[in-house]
């Protein structure tokens, strides 16, 4: 565990220290989020935080490759395949943040990055069901792998609309996934806790934590496409590689009790971690297609926009969405340690609390969570006839992320 925590700390420190440099590069290359009609931020903001994230990942992985404890992890090219894929989408995101690429070009670049990972043996070869469904066709394995990676990248992209939202959601969900992966490694390989997925998740959580001080409201820099796609790709890579820790030929007769649970978790936990982004993306596609528009047509109907419409301040909306992410991800991860009935009871209580926070009186109370407290601004008192809610200084990051 100490080795993983060290990698997390290194990734966080490098990302934190490199982010001002990424902000400088963004200004020099004009990678700036302008204020557009669909946005809710009021000032142009640099958006190349992904460069600092990529640097944090690279430095942490290079350090891990020099650790005797993790030397076996680098016996095959999977780790470098994920790092290479992250570099590809980071450069793609940089180009999009500067030149605003069309969606087909972005999709082609995402497929290229996912294909590179698959070429480096990061592939889904079976699905973790009780029967251990093996994907016998190499073409089907490649297609499913690329699909999972592309969906994960775009899901994180869609949810990145409030300061600190995407980085915080991945940090929380990644922490739950990290604890699950470490616990699974203890069960499956008690003599050696070295594991690629656990290492990647530790690094992923670290870069998110290192970036958050710069990105939480009021944000000084956005992660941009270069960041959201890197987070999605690395998370998907970890989720794919973790299936290698479970024997696909195992059956219910061979496993019992808590040992049977891991057969389901690799399928459920990644979905739980990105449930909010996936839900946001699915609703956006349905909404836009039903209106006769392109699925990629931007609007102001994302989940984070709805939170603001409920009356929540920017910071309050982000923190409540953090709560929902923790409920789903840690709820599923808890199945590894506790009986499903106990977990289901706790999950029900947590959902009720999250609903009260979302729809209850906190929408108009909790002065310390108001946006003007964070910025030090003195809120104006508008006349009754034309009172309006204060405009949060963020952006709908679809198109910026």
């Amino acid at each position: 565990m100490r080795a993983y925590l060290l990698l997390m700390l290194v990734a966080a420190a490098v990302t934190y220290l490199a982010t001002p440099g990424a902000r400088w590069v963004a200004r020099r290359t004009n990678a700036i989020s302008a204020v557009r009609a669909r946005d809710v931020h009021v000032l142009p903001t640099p958006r190349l935080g992904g460069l600092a994230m990529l640097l944090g990942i690279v430095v942490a992985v290079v350090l891990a490759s020099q650790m005797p404890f993790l030397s076996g992890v680098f016996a095959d090219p999977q780790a470098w395949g994920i790092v290479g894929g992250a570099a590809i989408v980071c450069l793609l995101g940089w180009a999009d943040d500067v030149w605003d690429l069309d969606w087909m070009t972005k999709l082609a670049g995402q497929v290229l990055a996912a294909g590179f990972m698959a070429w480096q043996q990061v592939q889904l070869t079976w699905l973790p069901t009780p029967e251990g469904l093996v994907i016998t066709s190499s073409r089907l394995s490649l297609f499913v792998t690329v699909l999972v990676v592309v969906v994960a990248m775009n899901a994180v992209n869609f949810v990145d609309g409030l300061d600190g939202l995407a980085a915080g959601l991945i940090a929380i969900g990644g922490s739950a996934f990290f604890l699950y992966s470490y616990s699974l490694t203890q069960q499956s390989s008690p003599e050696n806790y070295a594991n690629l997925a656990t290492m990647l998740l530790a690094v992923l959580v670290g870069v998110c934590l290192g970036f958050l001080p710069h990105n939480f409201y009021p944000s000084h820099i956005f992660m941009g496409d270069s960041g959201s796609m890197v987070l999605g790709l690395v998370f998907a890579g970890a989720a794919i590689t973790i299936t290698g820790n479970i024997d696909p030929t195992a059956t219910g007769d061979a496993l019992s009790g808590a040992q049977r649970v891991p057969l389901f978790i690799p399928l459920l936990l990644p979905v739980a971690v990105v449930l909010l982004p996936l839900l946001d993306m699915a609703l956006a596609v349905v909404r836009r297609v039903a209106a006769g528009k392109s699925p990629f047509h931007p609007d102001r109907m994302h989940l984070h926009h709805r939170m603001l419409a409920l009356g929540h301040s920017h910071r309050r909306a982000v923190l409540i969405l953090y709560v929902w992410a923790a409920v789903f991800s840690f709820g599923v991860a808890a199945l590894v340690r506790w009986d499903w009935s106990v977990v289901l009871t706790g999950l029900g209580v947590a959902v009720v609390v999250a609903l009260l926070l979302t729809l209850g009186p906190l929408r108009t109370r909790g002065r310390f969570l108001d946006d003007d407290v964070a910025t030090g601004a003195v809120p104006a008192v508008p006349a009754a006839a034309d009172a309006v809610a204060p405009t949060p200084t963020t952006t709908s990051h679809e198109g910026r992320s």
Side-chain angles (χ1 to χ4, degrees):
M1 176 64 79
R2 287 179 296 179
Y4 294 127
L5 294 179
L6 174 61
L7 292 176
M8 188 183 299
L9 178 61
V10 169
V14 172
T15 303
Y16 177 80
L17 295 174
T19 298
R23 190 163 61 242
W24 179 85
V25 173
R27 291 195 177 107
R28 296 284 291 183
T29 59
N30 200 34
I32 306 293
S33 285
V35 181
R36 300 163 297 185
R38 69 174 185 268
D39 296 332
V40 293
H41 70 300
V42 296
L43 294 174
T45 306
R47 54 177 179 177
L48 278 183
L51 293 181
M53 291 180 167
L54 178 65
L55 183 61
I57 291 171
V58 171
V59 171
V61 172
V62 169
L63 174 62
S65 69
Q66 304 303 310
M67 291 181 174
F69 168 67
L70 293 169
S71 59
V73 169
F74 295 89
D76 57 49
Q78 286 184 318
W80 300 118
I82 294 173
V83 172
I88 292 173
V89 295
C90 185
L91 293 175
L92 174 68
W94 187 355
D96 182 58
D97 288 335
V98 175
W99 294 300
D100 196 16
L101 304 177
D102 62 87
W103 69 269
M104 291 190 65
T105 302
K106 289 174 61 177
L107 181 60
Q110 292 173 348
V111 171
L112 174 64
F116 177 81
M117 287 173 52
W119 179 52
Q120 297 297 312
Q121 303 178 21
V122 183
Q123 286 197 45
L124 277 170
T125 55
W126 69 281
L127 297 177
T129 66
E131 292 77 24
L133 178 60
V134 178
I135 303 177
T136 56
S137 168
S138 59
R139 291 183 179 180
L140 180 59
S141 174
L142 175 62
F143 173 79
V144 174
T145 299
V146 171
L147 178 63
V148 167
V149 175
V150 170
V151 168
M153 284 190 285
N154 284 284
V156 177
N157 185 293
F158 265 69
V159 81
D160 185 23
L162 296 178
D163 294 352
L165 181 56
L169 293 183
I170 297 300
I172 293 169
S175 297
F177 208 174
F178 168 78
L179 293 174
Y180 158 71
S181 178
Y182 186 77
S183 176
L184 178 60
T185 304
Q186 286 181 310
Q187 295 179 22
S188 62
S189 181
E191 70 285 350
N192 183 11
Y193 294 168
N195 177 263
L196 175 58
T198 309
M199 181 198 76
L200 289 172
L201 290 165
V203 172
L204 185 65
V205 172
V207 298
C208 291
L209 294 177
F211 184 66
L212 268 174
H214 298 281
N215 184 237
F216 198 74
Y217 184 88
S219 176
H220 302 295
I221 184 172
F222 299 145
M223 68 172 63
D225 278 14
S226 60
S228 61
M229 290 194 293
V230 164
L231 294 184
L233 180 138
V234 175
F235 174 80
I240 291 170
T241 58
I242 205 170
T243 59
N245 294 314
I246 303 172
D247 181 6
T249 62
T251 63
D253 295 332
L255 299 175
S256 61
Q259 291 180 319
R260 189 182 298 139
V261 175
L263 289 172
F264 299 90
I265 306 302
L267 188 63
L268 296 177
L269 187 50
V271 175
V273 171
V274 293
L275 183 61
L276 290 178
L278 286 174
L279 178 62
D280 194 21
M281 183 172 66
L283 291 175
V285 171
V286 172
R287 181 174 65 247
R288 294 165 186 176
V289 171
K293 299 178 180 178
S294 165
F296 299 92
H297 181 78
D299 58 31
R300 291 170 55 93
M301 298 292 290
H302 289 290
L303 291 177
H304 47 271
H305 288 126
R306 296 176 186 271
M307 292 291 290
L308 297 176
L310 284 172
H312 290 292
S313 67
H314 186 137
R315 293 200 299 168
R316 189 182 294 113
V318 170
L319 292 175
I320 290 175
L321 290 173
Y322 285 177
V323 171
W324 280 107
V327 167
F328 291 127
S329 55
F330 281 97
V332 174
L335 290 170
V336 179
R337 292 293 185 183
W338 291 284
D339 183 75
W340 68 268
S341 59
V342 176
V343 174
L344 190 61
T345 302
L347 186 62
V349 174
V351 168
V352 171
V353 172
L355 282 173
L356 290 175
L357 292 174
T358 304
L359 304 175
L362 186 62
R363 288 180 296 166
T364 56
R365 299 179 183 176
R367 170 68 179 157
F368 69 99
L369 289 176
D370 286 349
D371 295 336
D372 57 274
V373 173
T375 59
V378 178
V381 181
D386 59 353
V388 295
T391 303
T393 55
T394 186
T395 180
S396 168
H397 197 124
E398 185 184 345
R400 126 193 153 193
S401 58

